[in-house]
Amino acid sequence: MPVLVASDLDRTLIYSAAALALTMPDARAPRLLCVEVHEARPLSFMTETAAQLLTDLGDTALFMPTTTRTRKQYQRINLPGPAPKYAICANGGHLLVDGVTDADWHTGVQARLADECAPLDEIREHLLRTADPVWVRKHRVAEDLFAYLVVERELLPEEWVKELAAWAENRGWTVSLQGRKIYAVPKPLTKSAAVREVARRTGAELTLAAGDSLLDADLLLAADRGWRPGHGELAETDWTAPQISALPERGVLAGERITREFLKAARESTAGLRG
């Protein structure tokens, strides 16, 4: 396929029940398709229209989920359409090919992290020492690559997040607040690096991307065209770039709009190549 579509998942294409509140009153809510179940509970959704658009996209372009989720968390998701040939997990730490980790890619990532930023243990110790149990619900390490906290947002002090970001910056790490999670991720661990590798392997002539958080900024900048929803860290800071479209839609309807834009751009590119 000449078109590669690299999209973030959570709060970009798929939405938890809590994130659905971003959308609209219940009486006007669109019909939804559940795309993730965990421990017998439905967790993530997209609109039925978005599901059909994503299925159509799979016939036009190479769709590649590009997520900060661990491999185990990603594998719970059952997206409509053809099974993706490639997927990026752990913010670029793992490149899956037909569902299997590319070991050479992962080894290269580990080498870059060892050379270019403070070790994970130092970051984790700082989080354990400074985060208040009053508002922290869980401490987690993902794939031995990065750390995150699950927090009570209404109790979380904004100043603590700012101080953490400044502290992490000096050690080569990035801090991102997404919903109820605070991520601390090494700067060399990027979605964009993995996307460029897949574009190289597939010979993609056009790369499209979408994302909502600070961790998606490099992904969007690496693409030929990108979209961000009207919610999330990037929208809150009014972040944009020349090739980025800032959409007004929020919540699950933003996911539908993004999928529609992907399909439209992929079809236009394919038609242009044929012409």
Side-chain angles (χ1 to χ4, degrees), residues 162 175-177 211-217 220 228-241 244 246 250:
K162 292 178 182 177
V175 171
S176 174
L177 177 59
D212 71 300
S213 80
L214 180 62
L215 296 177
D216 296 314
L220 294 172
R228 67 158 174 83
H231 63 261
E233 283 182 305
L234 298 181
E236 289 166 5
T237 57
D238 202 27
W239 182 92
T240 191
I244 307 304
R250 294 164 50 85

Side-chain angles (χ1 to χ4, degrees), residues 61-80:
L62 182 65
F63 173 70
M64 180 170 64
T66 307
T67 180
T68 305
R69 285 183 177 227
T70 65
R71 288 169 293 172
K72 185 176 180 180
Q73 291 168 336
Y74 164 69
Q75 287 162 355
R76 298 197 306 244
I77 299 172
N78 184 20
L79 293 171

Side-chain angles (χ1 to χ4, degrees), residues 17-41:
L20 292 176
L22 293 167
T23 306
M24 59 179 60
D26 291 349
R28 296 175 53 207
R31 287 170 57 92
L32 300 174
L33 174 70
C34 178
V35 295
E36 180 186 13
V37 176
H38 181 53
E39 296 179 346
R41 292 190 302 115

Side-chain angles (χ1 to χ4, degrees), residues 51-64:
Q52 183 57 58
L53 291 167
L54 189 60
T55 300
D56 294 343
L57 181 65
D59 295 329
T60 308
L62 182 65
F63 173 70
M64 180 170 64

Side-chain angles (χ1 to χ4, degrees), residues 149-170:
L149 306 176
V150 180
V151 302
E152 295 289 349
R153 277 294 294 267
E154 63 273 13
L155 301 177
L156 177 66
E158 286 187 20
E159 282 305 310
W160 184 86
V161 179
K162 292 178 182 177
E163 290 169 6
L164 174 65
W167 180 88
E169 173 77 19
N170 292 330

Side-chain angles (χ1 to χ4, degrees), residues 176-247:
S176 174
L177 177 59
Q178 303 178 37
R180 296 175 59 240
K181 293 180 179 178
I182 301 172
Y183 291 91
V185 177
K187 287 188 176 181
L189 186 67
T190 65
K191 295 177 178 180
S192 60
V195 169
R196 290 189 183 100
E197 172 62 13
V198 174
R200 183 191 68 79
R201 294 186 188 188
T202 60
E205 299 179 20
L206 177 71
T207 300
L208 310 175
D212 71 300
S213 80
L214 180 62
L215 296 177
D216 296 314
D218 71 288
L219 168 66
L220 294 172
L221 291 173
D224 297 297
R225 291 185 64 187
W227 292 264
R228 67 158 174 83
H231 63 261
E233 283 182 305
L234 298 181
E236 289 166 5
T237 57
D238 202 27
W239 182 92
T240 191
Q243 75 273 30
I244 307 304
S245 297
L247 302 177

